[in-house]
């Protein structure tokens, strides 16, 4: 997902920049913001990596009619 990838990159830049600025200014608040940004980077990157295979699984089920044995056949 390109928009989610852009968001991840922007958060990474913001987190890295805030981390450097926070350490240079010895500001705990700015370093905390940097940590939260880095945490959000991990979440958004994981979500983006998971979304690709999930979209392909849905596409495959919709176009082939193949479903797992424990699921209902779509109508």
């Amino acid at each position: 997902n390109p928009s989610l990838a852009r968001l991840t990159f922007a958060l990474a830049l913001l987190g890295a920049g805030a981390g450097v600025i926070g350490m240079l200014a010895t500001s705990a608040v700015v370093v905390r913001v940097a940590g939260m940004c880095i945490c959000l980077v991990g979440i958004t990157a994981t979500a983006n990596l998971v979304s690709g295979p999930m979209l392909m699984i849905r596409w495959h089920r919709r176009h082939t009619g193949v479903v797992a044995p424990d699921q209902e056949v779509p109508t």
Side-chain angles (χ1 to χ4, degrees), residues 65-68 71-75:
V66 174
V67 294
Q71 294 180 345
E72 296 180 19
V73 177
T75 58

Side-chain angles (χ1 to χ4, degrees), residues 53-67:
M54 294 304 294
L55 288 172
M56 290 307 297
I57 289 168
R58 283 190 216 126
W59 180 88
H60 185 264
R61 286 181 183 163
R62 196 176 319 126
H63 286 79
T64 62
V66 174
V67 294

Side-chain angles (χ1 to χ4, degrees), residues 45-55:
T46 302
N48 197 17
L49 290 171
V50 169
S51 69
M54 294 304 294
L55 288 172

